[in-house]
Amino acid sequence: MNISLNTRFADRFLNPELLNQNLKASQTAYELLLSKKGAGSEYLGWIDLPDSMEDSEIKRYLEIASIIRKNSKYLVVIGIGGSYLGARAVIEAIQNPFDSYDENNIKIIYAGHQLDADYHNRLLKFLEDKEFSVNVISKSGTTTEPAIAFRLLIDLLEKKYGKNGTKQRVFATTDSSKGALKKFSDEYGFETFVIPDDVGGRYSVLTPVGLLPIAVAGLDIAKIVEGARTMRKQLISEKDSMKNLAMKYASYRNSIYQLGKNVEILVNYNPSFHFFSEWWKQLYGESEGKGHKGIFPASVDLTTDLHSMGQYIQDGERILFETVVSFDKPHHDIVLGERAGDLDGLNYLKGKELSWVSSKAILGTLVAHSDGEVPCLELVIPKLDEFNLGQLIYFFEFACGISGYMLNINPFDQPGVEDYKNNMFALLGKKGYEQKKSEIESKLNSL
Ligand code: PA5
């Protein structure tokens, strides 16, 4: 079974003519993407990554991962945005969450994705007497959040292990030549991994940015790459926009957007998918939110959030549509038994599998939400495993490129992110930002 996109709960909202126009536009955007002549074409390295990846690269990630697993109980992944979300998305989606209670398993901890003093203080205290390594990830090598977390952690590493011991425990993933992190790593002799120049942060899961931490977590990175390769082959060879999964998804979501549904909710029924949705939100939000345009990407974890956000989705402002991600089969199902007395009233479900109960929750919710004027797209995936996540990552990246071009924006830059970074540098008093600082101060004085 392949990943499929079912549109039965969206079709009645769509004017066929509008959909046809978008299918045609997706074809043009697809050709532009593959011709590598569109906006941001200097950042299209991700398109060929799954095929160009050498076995020796995967071997190196596995070798380093095994060194880290041998000498550490914890790996701290330092990064923000595209420099940590892909790894976290895959690790949390696939790893058995209860394995983290087993003290024999290495644990992945995240830092440098915010500036909370309490979080970092507690992390430093926690790690004081633990064996740990650090994978610091920053393409620019100058982002403040990871740089601060790295400074805090390297101080601790040096206190615990000395300069030489620290060298064995720091792994830096950064640009091949630019940025403070590259300079730092060269000076200290850290093992480094290169983020290709032509791959932007949010498209970098299939580089050492994602693959090294994922390998440390013990997941099968070769299968992830194989999944991405399989999806790439399908998307590159299928020219019919209704049959090409990425063109179809981009066409439907843009057709629904043109109906005034400005918010797309990525819905899942698997709690371990939570961070995958965070990755997806970054991919689409940072790629498409430009020129006062773009679908606002949101997410919910169901059925949990049906008891909080469910009311709004059913009956609040009618600005929403959904893309519902579901997995055809669980790894291990559970059959419900019978209890004498039937005090909980559940004996009518005797002999039913929990996945069957969940499938009825999904269907019931789809019917309710589409009755409530929320168009719903359904993405059905065979299984939540490495191969299928590899496929899904590549599919979403490719569809995002097409969708961005359909919107007439550059899906591969992020000028808005730079704005806050520059203001922050100015307010922190960084050299070179004096002019910006006085501009902000006069703005603040006028408030
Ligand atoms: O997708 C992107 O480009 C961003 O989200 C970056 O990944 C994020 O800003 C972190 O940047 P850097 O890796 O340069 O520290």
Side-chain angles (χ1 to χ4, degrees):
M1 181 194 166
N2 281 331
I3 296 180
S4 61
L5 180 69
N6 192 329
T7 61
R8 63 189 163 156
F9 288 107
D11 287 334
R12 79 176 171 86
F13 297 94
L14 290 173
N15 165 341
E17 209 170 297
L18 180 70
L19 179 61
N20 258 331
Q21 276 168 19
N22 278 305
L23 284 165
K24 276 200 192 107
S26 78
Q27 189 92 43
T28 311
Y30 170 85
E31 280 155 20
L32 188 61
L33 187 69
L34 289 183
S35 72
K36 302 192 176 171
K37 289 190 177 136
S41 58
E42 64 279 27
Y43 289 112
L44 292 181
W46 58 271
I47 293 184
D48 300 321
L49 266 181
D51 277 42
S52 60
M53 195 170 311
E54 308 270 350
D55 289 350
S56 58
E57 286 176 67
I58 298 198
K59 202 165 149 236
R60 181 173 173 229
Y61 305 146
L62 291 172
E63 276 164 12
I64 299 292
S66 110
I67 293 172
I68 297 173
R69 287 167 71 86
K70 262 191 210 119
N71 73 8
S72 299
K73 288 268 174 214
Y74 297 86
L75 173 71
V76 186
V77 172
I78 299 179
I80 193 165
S83 287
Y84 97 106
L85 277 169
R88 190 166 192 177
V90 174
I91 293 168
E92 301 207 1
I94 295 182
Q95 223 174 28
N96 176 343
F98 302 105
D99 280 353
S100 64
Y101 295 108
D102 182 338
E103 60 169 45
N104 294 317
N105 289 325
I106 190 162
K107 284 142 197 98
I108 314 293
I109 297 180
Y110 302 91
H113 53 298
Q114 29 75 8
L115 292 162
D116 181 32
D118 286 334
Y119 180 90
H120 287 91
N121 226 323
R122 288 168 181 162
L123 175 65
L124 292 171
K125 284 230 153 48
F126 175 76
L127 290 172
E128 255 170 20
D129 59 352
K130 310 284 189 304
E131 298 297 331
F132 75 98
S133 295
V134 164
N135 180 198
V136 53
I137 309 170
S138 178
K139 175 155 176 163
S140 63
T142 54
T143 310
T144 311
E145 291 90 333
I148 287 179
F150 185 50
R151 174 170 282 213
L152 296 172
L153 282 157
I154 197 165
D155 281 352
L156 178 61
L157 280 168
E158 284 178 346
K159 223 189 304 161
K160 270 175 74 91
Y161 302 107
K163 268 220 153 48
N164 260 336
T166 297
K167 204 171 132 184
Q168 316 302 320
R169 288 170 181 273
V170 174
F171 302 87
T173 307
T174 190
D175 190 85
S176 60
S177 56
K178 296 186 296 288
L181 181 57
K182 171 66 184 157
K183 210 164 150 218
F184 198 147
S185 304
D186 287 349
E187 188 109 3
Y188 276 65
F190 301 142
E191 177 91 30
T192 54
F193 293 85
V194 172
I195 309 172
D197 286 347
D198 55 0
V199 179
R202 56 193 177 277
Y203 294 84
S204 68
V205 200
L206 302 171
T207 72
V209 171
L211 295 179
L212 179 62
I214 295 170
V216 175
L219 307 185
D220 190 341
I221 54 171
K223 276 261 173 283
I224 296 173
V225 175
E226 193 190 322
R229 209 172 275 159
T230 305
M231 180 56 77
R232 179 183 181 278
K233 200 169 163 201
Q234 281 172 29
L235 297 180
I236 302 268
S237 60
E238 181 55 75
K239 313 282 180 214
D240 180 334
S241 48
M242 245 336 232
K243 291 193 190 135
N244 180 302
L245 199 62
M247 281 196 255
K248 186 175 172 187
Y249 175 54
S251 301
Y252 270 85
R253 66 194 294 277
N254 279 294
S255 299
I256 300 171
Y257 177 45
Q258 286 155 19
L259 300 174
K261 309 278 185 190
N262 296 339
V263 180
E264 176 178 9
I265 311 177
L266 193 74
V267 176
N268 74 74
Y269 284 81
N270 303 67
S272 61
F273 203 73
H274 178 86
F275 267 94
F276 200 93
S277 300
E278 296 302 312
W279 170 81
W280 173 87
K281 284 195 281 194
Q282 190 221 354
L283 179 63
Y284 280 81
E286 211 168 64
S287 298
E288 291 196 317
K290 286 161 199 168
H292 297 184
K293 289 189 277 195
I295 300 168
F296 183 86
S299 66
V300 290
D301 302 327
L302 303 188
T303 60
T304 314
D305 295 341
L306 283 177
H307 299 260
S308 53
M309 297 305 289
Q311 174 59 41
Y312 191 103
I313 297 172
Q314 189 67 47
D315 206 21
E317 283 262 21
R318 302 298 71 197
I319 51 170
L320 312 172
F321 71 99
E322 293 178 10
T323 296
V324 180
V325 175
S326 64
F327 296 89
D328 194 45
K329 290 244 170 312
H331 289 280
H332 302 286
D333 224 329
I334 298 182
V335 177
L336 296 173
E338 186 176 24
R339 273 188 77 84
D342 193 22
L343 288 178
D344 55 10
L346 287 180
N347 276 355
Y348 78 104
L349 293 176
K350 183 192 86 174
K352 298 288 188 212
E353 288 161 330
L354 195 50
S355 67
W356 180 85
V357 177
S358 176
S359 72
K360 300 302 162 200
I362 297 175
L363 195 57
T365 309
L366 280 165
V367 172
H369 289 180
S370 75
D371 282 352
E373 301 298 305
V374 177
C376 299
L377 302 170
E378 294 168 87
L379 211 44
V380 185
I381 298 138
K383 217 176 195 171
L384 185 37
D385 59 13
E386 283 95 332
F387 178 79
N388 284 296
L389 276 197
Q391 292 212 76
L392 204 55
I393 288 166
Y394 194 85
F395 156 70
F396 274 133
E397 289 179 350
F398 204 94
C400 188
I402 294 177
S403 188
Y405 282 161
M406 288 172 76
L407 275 173
N408 246 322
I409 51 94
N410 177 355
F412 307 109
D413 64 358
Q414 55 285 325
V417 179
E418 306 308 327
D419 284 351
Y420 109 88
K421 280 191 183 176
N422 291 336
N423 284 353
M424 189 171 150
F425 285 148
L427 290 167
L428 289 172
K430 191 170 175 171
K431 218 168 144 219
Y433 291 81
E434 296 76 10
Q435 170 68 24
K436 185 93 196 153
K437 190 173 184 201
S438 66
E439 279 167 29
I440 297 177
E441 277 168 356
S442 64
K443 226 174 257 172
L444 291 174
N445 286 336
S446 72
L447 296 179

